[in-house]
Amino acid sequence: MLKAYEELRAKSDEVWKNTQARTVIRVPIATCSIAAGARETLEALESAVKERGLDVDVQTVGERGLCWLEPLVEIVKADGSAVLYEHVTSDKVEQLLDEALDDVSADLAFAVVEGTDVEGLQRLDDFDLWALQERRLLLRCGIIDPDNIDHYIAHGGYSGLAQALDQSQEEVIQTVSDSTLRGRSGSAFPTGTKWEFLRGKEREPKYLICNADEGDPGAFVNRILMECDPQSVIEGMVIAAHATGATYAFFYLREEYPLAIERMEKAVEQARERGLLGDNILESGLSFDMKIWVGAGSYVCGEESGLLASLDDERGMPRIRPPFPADSGVFEQPTNVNNVETYSDVTLIMEKGLEFYNSVGTEANKGTKIFSLSGHIQRVCVVEVAFGYPLRDLYHAVDPATYQERRKLKALQAGAALAGILPTHIALKLPLDPEAFKPHGVLMGGGGLVFIDDTACIVDLNVMFSWFLEDESCGRCTTCHGGTQRMSEIFRRIGRGGGKSNDYDKMELLGQALQYSNCIHGSASPTIMLRSAEYFREEIDQHINEQRCAAKVCRDLIRYEIDSDSDSDKLPEAAAICPTEAVVQEDEKWSIDQSKCIKCNACKDVAPDAVRIVDAFDVLPLTPVGASATA
Amino acid sequence: MLDTEATLEIAELVAEFKPGNADLIPALHKVQHRYGYVPREAMGVVAKQLRLGEAQVYGAVTFYSELRVIPPPQTRIDWCSGPACRLKGGENVRLALESVLEIGMEENTAGDKVGLHLAQCNGTCDFAPQIWVDGKVVGPLTAADTITLARELKEKN
């Protein structure tokens, strides 16, 4: 097996070596960079290079996760020196080629990756948000072409499989168990134990599932892996097949990730061509294949039994357990479900060994975890850190301005709609370890971290999350479909100023009732509501008792007014943009017709100084609600 | 059910799919890929092909939010309902869209010119609040930007 691998490796090394013979311009093509215009950059680069007759290669790579710098183009020269250039949109391409091929473009450069120092330019390894990372699973992201299996193999790909194939099933499972690897979706079930369940089943065929239905809003961890290093996931699945005796896999991928679908399909095809999927893999006698199976938009299909129902020609309604998937999964056959990152971790464990894998992390969770960071931060990004890394340090690196007291961070929402919400004073003290989150009544979840500052309203966030949970409830359990509806209603009513003092009792009761749901969608759905009532009581109280939304978000508790003292030059423009003709002028006096205003903020967008958002507590010459100023 | 030209065409389209083979969603995807939505007639044909009840197929089609039962609009606007967008004024964007286009989510304007779809976060949160216009990310948007864009789309059609 190792011999078959060595042959593959030798060929791939040759392919990779050839890419280094001359200057390479690496253009990241992944969802974040595409949104920033990377496809146009790639096109412009390719045609400019051709036009100029330059002796350089333009290569597609995945992204590094530094989303706010995209398109983040790297120029690697034949002498090995490499520099990253930020925001290289298509209009910057000529400048880049003019300045960066013979020298370094000081204007566009972001950091030196390899080679000698450049005056006035930081090194990537010294950049705070890079230096704090422990890049293992993401190591190849942004370096290799995801559509080229040779690039993957030349960077150590499939050596983990080759080593696993030389071990018995028990040995592989023991190694996975010793690594403490737990499901990375947030469920945190020990992976080795799950595999042992499947290995022990005699009924054949056995199936593997890759859960790539990453539906948590604000989580895009698995997307990066699938788009930028797809083979690492496939390799982990082949290792799992060897360890458990599974012969076929369904790769359940959400439809909302079209590029990931495209990349994974190509990756499966290439793995098949190289004999890494199919019959007699690496001449080991192992037979295993898989299919990329595209979902159709359902959050609850991320729950493993909902996913199985969805595969089995049903609506994606989570099933009642037992039987568990290891006994009766897809087609009622023994099945194992893991998520994308978990399989990638397996690849890493087999490739680099336990000692390396376990060298970072906490007692309960060794290794690393990928996080996607969004919300009120300057640097939207995907990072990989060792378990236990201090959340405060990560936050300071992704939002240096807030660190300098620009705004006040109010809350952290980790792990999306089911996991909970924490106030800053608790959240920023935590290490990034699931065990540390639990005592506070929340989960760390699958890797999404949404930072929330004091421009947000906790009631409004609850309206959003409870509605999401209501909308995505499969409808099986009355507790869940009824309970999530009641949650929505309560928060909407509070947001309208109709909150009652006994609403907290209702929340508590709902929290209890929802526990009696079949799956985690129901039982965990009250988490955000309950944590909000616990940690953000004062803010909710203000809505209930004073009909006041301090953040001025809840629409029924605020109104837009023209500030009579201000310069009104921009007001004709505000009147023109208003979709409901609510900005009116009578006798040269401007006002907002409250009966027409939908509070969309468009007038304030164009005339920020002339329009004010006020609530009942603001003191200024007010127009009574529903009447025009001149009436 | 009587075979018509339309149902025969759909039957041919889904002929490769088999019962008990994890084929329901793939079959529906194929139908939607061809027609832009899952027409009423197709549900019966798919049901027959996979030996399912028509109600089961209808149940599935209406369960999943990316399967459509109405024809697609000429210009599709997907509004991101994710948390990062919400925090940065996504609701303003939605109000602006609905107000200018005079439709709600999952509806099309007259003649199926422009349609609104409630979409889920896919992690381009640097552009929050954002929408997708025919699959392309547009953002960060203010309500004013959105109104200008929606008016242009409305006039163009």
Side-chain angles (χ1 to χ4, degrees), chain A residues 72-144:
Chain A
L72 185 62
V73 173
E74 185 181 14
I75 299 188
V76 187
K77 294 183 179 162
D79 64 5
S81 67
V83 175
L84 278 171
Y85 295 94
E86 65 185 76
H87 302 302
V88 185
T89 41
S90 56
D91 56 317
K92 304 270 178 64
V93 160
E94 295 293 338
Q95 187 192 352
L96 184 76
L97 292 177
D98 286 342
E99 297 172 6
L101 288 180
D102 299 323
D103 198 2
V104 171
S105 167
D107 190 29
L108 297 173
F110 168 68
V112 176
V113 184
E114 291 287 345
T116 48
D117 285 337
V118 177
E119 209 192 312
L121 194 56
Q122 64 185 337
R123 296 194 70 87
L124 182 62
D125 287 337
D126 297 333
F127 175 57
D128 55 1
L129 190 52
W130 195 263
L132 64 82
Q133 293 192 51
E134 181 70 41
R135 288 177 77 92
R136 295 176 167 191
L137 302 168
L138 295 179
L139 190 63
R140 289 174 284 253
C141 296
I143 314 278
I144 65 167

Side-chain angles (χ1 to χ4, degrees), chain A residues 17 35 67 126-127 244 271 276 294 398 413 433 437 480 510 512 529 556-557 603 629:
Chain A
K17 216 178 112 193
C67 305
D126 297 333
F127 175 57
T244 60
L276 295 159
V294 180
V398 294
Q413 205 273 308
D433 181 51
F437 280 65
C480 178
L510 270 175
Q512 286 163 16
M529 171 182 73
D556 289 298
L557 303 182
C603 53

Side-chain angles (χ1 to χ4, degrees), chain A residues 575-591:
Chain A
I577 201 74
C578 177
T580 58
E581 296 173 350
V583 180
V584 290
Q585 189 184 27
E586 261 178 76
D587 305 330
E588 301 201 355
K589 203 169 154 48
W590 289 93
S591 65

Side-chain angles (χ1 to χ4, degrees), chain A residues 32 40 68 217-218 220 223 254-255 293-297 310-311 313 316 375-376 460 555 576-579 600 605, chain B residues 22-25 29 59 63-66 83 86-88 91-92 95 99 120-123 126 136 142-144 147 151:
Chain A
C32 284
E40 290 78 4
W68 84 99
F220 37 106
R223 195 199 76 210
R254 74 197 287 244
E255 204 200 10
W293 201 96
V294 180
S310 176
L311 279 170
D313 293 353
H376 288 134
D460 181 66
R555 273 161 229 283
I577 201 74
C578 177
C600 72
D605 289 333
Chain B
D23 276 350
L24 175 58
I25 304 295
H29 275 314
F63 183 85
Y64 298 99
S65 58
E66 296 303 315
R86 179 83 174 205
L87 290 173
K88 295 188 171 182
E91 275 294 285
N92 293 339
L95 284 169
S99 168
Q120 299 298 336
C121 174
N122 82 346
D126 198 31
K136 204 173 154 41
T142 61
I147 289 164
R151 280 176 181 161

